[in-house]
Amino acid sequence: MNTTATPAPDAAPEQDENKLIAERREKLKGLRQSQAETGAVAFPNDFKPKDRAAQLHQAHGAIEKEAFDADIAAGKQVLASVAGRMMLKRVMGKASFATIQDATGRIQAYIARDDVGEADYAAFKHWDLGDIVAVEGHLFKTKTGELSIHATRIRLLTKSLRPLPDKFHGMQDQELKYRQRYVDLIMDEAARERFAARSRTLAAMRGFMTEHGFMEVETPMLHPIPGGANAKPFVTHHNALDQQMYLRIAPELYLKRLIVGGFERVFEINRSFRNEGISVRHNPEFTMMEFYAAYWNYQDLMTYTEDLLRATARQATGGLQLQYQGRAVDLSQPFKRLTIREAIHAHTDIGAGVDDAAELIARLKKLGLSEDKNKLSQRSLPALQVMYFEEAVESELWEPTFIMEHPTEISPLARANDQRPEVTERFELYITGREMANGFSELNDAEDQAARFQAQASAKDSGDDEAMFYDADFVRALEYGMPPTGGCGVGIDRFMMLLTDSASIRDVILFPALRHESK
């Protein structure tokens, strides 16, 4: 009886890939044997490309074929030296074509046996797509007008042991793209451009901040007390200090200590960590840009944040008229400014019910909230207004809109309004229905801050694992005196989703958090 198990229907592609990997390993084995016999190196590291594909196209792509041919005939060859991954290969007897991809783009190479030598040409025919190769020669244009390198020397620099995905379809599995970002970047030019845009955005932000007198600083990622936001932290243990530590949930309290110390304008592009849910808008580790300016209030912050995002978007994308998921977003117009109550009035039919706790509770229940889970009857009127705003209004704020005057009870670090102490001088910026920034006039009254920390500590003792700890050292810093200050945090990842028209935050994070592959 045949006891061999029948493969699952999807086993064939995996078996095919294993076969290809085995074949490539045999080729590498042959290279190593050749190395032992001739002294050649299987993985050489002495080649330095002198040119990049994009620069060659930019400098010579517009030259007509006839002009190239005339210069070559006159001995005026344009030499080129490139290295990159071989993405396409066409072997045609004594001459072949290969497409080389480097960090800037692609360029074609024409490889003829009589030009590179019989031994190298024979070796080339056994090279695989994905191999890293070097090509030296002179530029010319093919009959179809494609700028190419007429190779006079070729070398294999790195043997690729795994086959690339199908060149026409690329990687179709979205989670596989996140898990194997290195392959996604090889195959998808749009993915490479997304992250190039991210780099340009961060550079533009840094430039804008320094031009306006801000100093870039670095603050700890390991905190003895987590603070700066209402969030659940990651917990770790420091062996040498023998104490529990927390990964940073926000750099705010350290940046304000620097304002106390006399640095009047500081910013940090920081990685922060929150042990909370994962969604298309949330990743456990994320990037923010937080900045603080002495003698600014929340009105100053809104004006500056608007200018910052507008200047950054223009430099990163070339314009201010964006498209996000099929809808236009205009960053050129002044950003709207609404209080929470004004936003509720503008986007719902609640009318006078906005100031009626019973009406708000009834509407929240219709939207799916419950007394058991959300403790609606225990909420104050301002807190109920915020909940109703988040459930009914937030997603409607497509064009850039600052939402102001958050309740003091849920804003433990923000300065209360002098005329209406139940609300703070705080704003959140929404674009495409998502929070992009959060800022406020900072609380610099040490005694008020101590009382608010105490209220947060009591909430934590009552089971709120997102409430803040009491930070005695920060209170002590405020007791030395902090000038009136404004501070704001901008979510870089969400802003990049907008600038690159990306549906998920995972699309703009090179290596997003994923469940372990074995699970």
Side-chain angles (χ1 to χ4, degrees):
M1 185 172 75
N2 185 357
T3 59
T4 303
T6 302
D10 61 350
E14 184 176 343
Q15 290 176 347
D16 291 342
E17 182 177 64
N18 289 339
K19 181 179 179 182
L20 292 172
I21 292 173
E23 291 174 355
R24 292 182 179 218
R25 289 189 183 279
E26 281 298 312
K27 292 179 182 179
L28 178 58
K29 182 179 178 180
L31 286 172
R32 295 191 193 282
Q33 290 174 343
S34 175
Q35 174 182 356
E37 296 168 359
T38 67
V41 179
F43 288 85
N45 69 344
D46 59 343
F47 183 80
K48 303 291 189 292
K50 298 181 177 64
D51 303 291
R52 295 292 184 270
Q55 284 71 40
L56 291 175
H57 283 290
Q58 183 177 10
H60 308 285
I63 300 174
E64 297 294 334
K65 179 181 185 305
E66 292 72 18
F68 255 118
D69 292 344
D71 284 344
I72 292 172
K76 300 178 181 178
Q77 298 174 342
V78 179
L79 301 181
S81 162
V82 301
R85 194 177 300 275
M86 186 164 64
M87 301 300 293
L88 296 170
K89 177 184 176 183
R90 287 182 292 149
V91 176
M92 302 177 297
K94 298 179 181 179
S96 300
F97 285 96
T99 298
I100 309 303
Q101 175 175 291
D102 64 17
T104 68
R106 295 182 176 188
I107 191 164
Q108 181 174 259
Y110 171 74
I111 302 165
R113 184 189 65 183
D114 293 343
D115 295 311
V116 300
E118 190 164 343
D120 284 347
Y121 189 70
F124 163 77
K125 291 195 288 185
H126 292 283
W127 295 353
D128 295 300
L129 298 185
D131 288 350
I132 310 295
V133 303
V135 177
E136 296 175 280
H138 66 266
L139 296 179
F140 79 108
K141 283 205 169 178
T142 65
K143 294 179 181 179
T144 61
E146 181 172 356
L147 183 69
S148 304
I149 300 174
H150 189 135
T152 54
R153 189 180 181 210
I154 56 174
R155 294 180 69 188
L156 176 63
L157 302 180
T158 303
K159 182 65 194 167
S160 171
L161 298 180
R162 288 182 176 270
L164 296 175
D166 179 88
K167 64 182 178 181
F168 295 109
H169 300 99
M171 297 181 78
Q172 299 299 307
D173 186 320
Q174 191 63 48
E175 181 164 333
L176 197 61
K177 286 189 174 189
Y178 303 144
R179 197 175 293 282
Q180 298 181 17
R181 181 69 81 188
Y182 39 90
V183 182
D184 181 37
L185 294 172
I186 292 171
M187 302 302 298
D188 189 352
E189 183 178 356
R192 296 195 297 275
E193 174 52 30
R194 269 200 310 278
F195 293 105
R198 184 179 178 114
S199 178
R200 293 194 299 271
T201 298
L202 292 173
M205 280 192 167
R206 280 192 166 95
F208 191 90
M209 298 304 293
T210 55
E211 286 170 10
H212 288 81
F214 284 83
M215 181 176 73
E216 184 170 9
V217 298
E218 296 169 295
T219 62
M221 285 191 180
L222 282 175
H223 291 188
I225 298 175
N230 292 96
K232 185 176 180 180
F234 285 92
V235 184
T236 186
H237 185 82
H238 194 292
N239 290 335
L241 297 177
D242 190 23
Q243 69 182 37
Q244 185 168 271
M245 303 285 279
Y246 303 87
L247 293 184
R248 173 170 63 194
I249 58 175
E252 176 170 344
L253 301 187
Y254 282 94
L255 292 173
K256 287 195 283 193
R257 285 175 169 93
L258 298 180
I259 297 291
V260 171
F263 292 131
E264 294 184 351
R265 294 189 181 187
V266 295
F267 79 99
E268 181 174 11
I269 296 177
N270 64 91
R271 300 289 282 183
S272 291
F273 308 82
R274 298 181 185 177
N275 196 1
E276 300 170 349
I278 294 177
S279 74
V280 295
R281 287 186 274 179
H282 300 88
N283 193 66
E285 58 175 311
F286 56 97
T287 304
M288 290 193 294
M289 198 273 281
E290 285 206 11
F291 60 95
Y292 293 79
Y295 312 109
W296 282 15
N297 61 29
Y298 77 123
Q299 296 285 351
D300 302 312
L301 288 172
M302 284 188 283
T303 299
Y304 185 81
T305 300
E306 182 173 342
D307 292 342
L308 165 70
L309 297 187
R310 191 175 286 127
T312 301
R314 184 183 287 112
Q315 189 164 335
T317 69
L320 299 176
Q321 308 298 324
L322 307 178
Q323 286 285 322
Y324 187 73
Q325 302 300 289
R327 291 181 62 183
V329 181
D330 186 0
L331 298 184
S332 68
Q333 299 301 310
F335 294 4
K336 296 178 183 178
R337 299 187 183 190
L338 300 172
T339 66
I340 290 176
R341 292 178 73 259
E342 288 170 344
I344 292 173
H345 276 301
H347 292 277
T348 74
D349 61 356
I350 194 170
V354 71
D355 294 316
D356 184 336
E359 174 68 15
L360 289 167
I361 289 173
R363 286 179 173 243
L364 286 168
K365 287 181 177 178
K366 287 182 180 180
L367 292 171
L369 279 67
S370 68
E371 178 63 31
D372 288 343
K373 183 177 180 181
N374 304 106
K375 306 292 188 293
L376 298 176
S377 64
Q378 300 176 29
R379 308 279 182 173
S380 68
L381 176 62
L384 289 170
Q385 289 172 339
V386 170
M387 293 179 75
Y388 186 59
F389 164 81
E390 292 174 345
E391 295 296 323
V393 179
E394 183 177 305
S395 61
E396 302 299 315
L397 302 176
W398 189 263
E399 294 296 337
T401 306
F402 289 110
I403 299 297
M404 305 176 293
E405 298 187 359
H406 294 68
T408 302
E409 66 190 272
I410 64 169
S411 308
L413 299 169
R415 175 188 177 91
N417 185 282
D418 290 338
Q419 284 70 47
R420 297 174 58 222
E422 72 275 12
V423 298
T424 57
E425 294 185 352
R426 176 183 170 190
F427 67 84
E428 290 179 332
L429 173 63
Y430 289 88
I431 309 176
T432 66
R434 296 167 179 173
E435 181 190 342
M436 295 283 176
N438 179 27
F440 39 82
S441 302
E442 301 295 338
L443 178 59
N444 63 343
D445 181 333
E447 293 180 346
D448 189 356
Q449 184 65 83
R452 295 212 212 166
F453 273 155
Q454 190 59 59
Q456 287 285 302
S458 297
K460 182 171 287 293
D461 291 340
S462 299
D464 184 352
D465 59 6
E466 292 188 358
M468 294 184 187
F469 288 73
Y470 189 99
D471 191 331
D473 180 70
F474 180 68
V475 172
R476 179 170 56 196
L478 290 184
E479 289 173 346
Y480 280 94
M482 184 175 79
T485 298
C488 180
V490 178
I492 301 298
D493 304 315
R494 289 186 184 176
F495 189 48
M496 289 313 307
M497 290 173 65
L498 170 63
L499 296 187
T500 60
D501 191 12
S502 299
S504 171
I505 196 171
R506 293 182 178 187
D507 294 329
V508 298
I509 296 175
L510 278 168
F511 300 102
L514 298 169
R515 192 181 301 277
H516 195 281
E517 195 167 359
S518 64
K519 296 182 179 179

